[in-house]
Amino acid sequence: MTFPEMLATYITIDDDIRSFLNTQTEKISVKKGTVISDQNTLNRKVYFVEKGLLRSFYFEKGKDITTNFYPENSILANKDTIFEKIPARHSIEAIEDSEIVFFRYSKMEELCETSLILFNS
């Protein structure tokens, strides 16, 4: 499922949202083992897994600790950075070759201020 298809299962895609999807989202292909977000950084991107598998993890006392897996059709972000504005506690890594769509959370906030569909959802 593509990001627009998934989104359309929850809301009506109007011109504002279509414009956001066309101008503010980016699709990337990443190889297995690629870290797309590092622990202790400020990353305010939101990711959607179209294909593949991601995991979140952190290092503690020299150990790599997995906290969650994100299969296809999952949405994920470093919530501590987005909502608390502190460095991410977790890294995000592709554990399969993956296709990911992402956008900056700040751009979605801007859309929410003007979109009646998102405001009323």
Side-chain angles (χ1 to χ4, degrees), residues 7 11 15 17 21 23 31 38 48 83 89-90 96 99 101 104 106 121:
L7 199 57
I11 61 172
D15 289 339
I17 295 169
L21 293 170
T23 62
K31 296 286 185 191
D38 284 313
F48 176 75
F83 298 117
R89 294 180 185 111
H90 302 96
E96 293 180 354
E99 301 286 331
V101 173
R104 287 173 172 56
S106 60
S121 295

Side-chain angles (χ1 to χ4, degrees), residues 1-10 27 48-51 72-74 99 101:
M1 178 178 293
T2 66
F3 182 59
E5 290 170 341
M6 183 280 302
L7 199 57
T9 64
Y10 295 100
K27 185 174 182 175
F48 176 75
V49 184
E50 284 192 350
K51 181 181 177 189
E72 293 175 6
N73 302 322
S74 295
E99 301 286 331
V101 173

